[in-house]
Amino acid sequence: GENVEQHPSTLSVQEGDSAVIKCTYSDSASNYFPWYKQELGKRPQLIIDIRSNVGEKKDQRIAVTLNKTAKHFSLHITETQPEDSAVYFCAASIGTNAGKSTFGDGTTLTVKP
Amino acid sequence: DAGVTQSPTHLIKTRGQQVTLRCSPISGHKSVSWYQQVLGQGPQFIFQYYEKEERGRGNFPDRFSARQFPNYSSELNVNALLLGDSALYLCASSPRTDTQYFGPGTRLTVL
């Protein structure tokens, strides 16, 4: 089955700096790669996703890049703010079936004011 | 529109007991997935149902079962509870098999 590894497990940045979280996956049949933000005690919320026919996608301060050859994808957050502090999860899905996603173990991002 | 809802919010059970968790998807969503999230880890896929049929099962023992009803709501059942079943159980719905939206989860504690 699919295996997703996520690094780093914790990340601390100063407000205004950029943050980068990286994930690798094992199954070349995976074609859908979402990123979720989970605040303490709350549900995971989709913040951005990318499909395998696209190499990069951007939404305001958030961007995701995908390298299918190397089987890795990354989340980039620019101009970080304290409210960006949360746990971020990457995931991969075989085909484009988001409902059978394999998740990484998460990155705890702390943005210091 | 209401989001994905789950009940109960919290649940405390003892080893060996059985539990049923419930999920109501977003209106119009026909796919429901269940995930187990152990503290400090990412969600782990348990089941997916689409149009009342099982579309996938993760690496969980037969003590875990689920079903989807004609109104697309779903139940997750866990028999013979073990201490290791303590976790946050998340339900997610999607219109078909694309972008999924998570519910708030049910926190299960097994004593």
Side-chain angles (χ1 to χ4, degrees):
Chain A
E2 176 65 278
N3 182 51
V4 176
E5 293 190 358
Q6 182 171 347
H7 299 280
S9 56
T10 60
L11 180 60
S12 181
V13 300
Q14 288 294 136
E15 182 177 0
D17 286 351
S18 295
V20 180
I21 303 170
K22 299 182 179 181
C23 289
T24 60
Y25 62 99
S26 61
D27 196 327
S28 57
S30 291
N31 285 316
Y32 177 67
F33 306 93
W35 286 88
Y36 296 89
K37 175 183 180 182
Q38 188 174 31
E39 298 176 20
L40 192 61
K42 296 193 175 181
R43 72 190 76 189
Q45 290 203 308
L46 179 73
I47 55 172
I48 196 167
D49 57 10
I50 192 168
R51 289 174 170 80
S52 61
N53 58 343
V54 176
E56 184 174 355
K57 184 177 178 181
K58 190 174 181 180
D59 183 4
Q60 299 182 340
R61 297 185 297 111
I62 295 173
V64 57
T65 58
L66 171 65
N67 184 327
K68 282 221 77 179
T69 303
K71 297 197 189 75
H72 65 72
F73 56 113
S74 301
L75 177 71
H76 304 253
I77 305 174
T78 59
E79 301 171 18
T80 54
Q81 302 167 1
E83 50 266 39
D84 293 330
S85 297
V87 180
Y88 291 80
F89 292 98
C90 63
S93 301
I94 302 294
T96 56
N97 186 352
K100 290 197 284 189
S101 293
T102 299
F103 283 74
D105 279 339
T107 295
T108 301
L109 173 64
T110 303
V111 180
K112 299 177 181 178
Chain B
D1 281 341
V4 179
T5 59
Q6 292 185 243
S7 63
T9 305
H10 296 88
L11 203 52
I12 299 175
K13 292 286 187 178
T14 57
R15 281 176 295 175
Q17 285 189 312
Q18 175 265 342
V19 68
T20 298
L21 311 181
R22 295 175 176 84
C23 171
S24 292
I26 294 170
S27 177
H29 285 196
K30 299 181 179 180
S31 173
V32 170
S33 296
W34 287 95
Y35 293 84
Q36 180 195 66
Q37 187 176 23
V38 173
L39 196 63
Q41 296 181 16
Q44 189 172 358
F45 172 71
I46 310 175
F47 284 108
Q48 181 187 28
Y49 277 79
Y50 179 71
E51 289 276 21
K52 295 163 283 181
E53 291 188 0
E54 183 181 304
R55 284 296 185 92
R57 183 188 182 114
N59 189 24
F60 280 81
D62 291 344
R63 299 185 295 107
F64 288 77
S65 63
R67 55 179 175 169
Q68 187 177 33
F69 298 99
N71 67 352
Y72 304 112
S73 67
S74 178
E75 286 182 351
L76 175 70
N77 295 283
V78 187
N79 294 323
L81 285 167
L82 303 174
L83 296 178
D85 295 330
S86 295
L88 179 68
Y89 288 84
L90 293 162
C91 171
S93 77
S94 59
R96 292 171 297 279
T97 56
D98 47 7
T99 306
Q100 58 183 348
Y101 301 87
F102 282 91
T106 294
R107 174 73 61 187
L108 172 64
T109 301
V110 182
L111 301 176

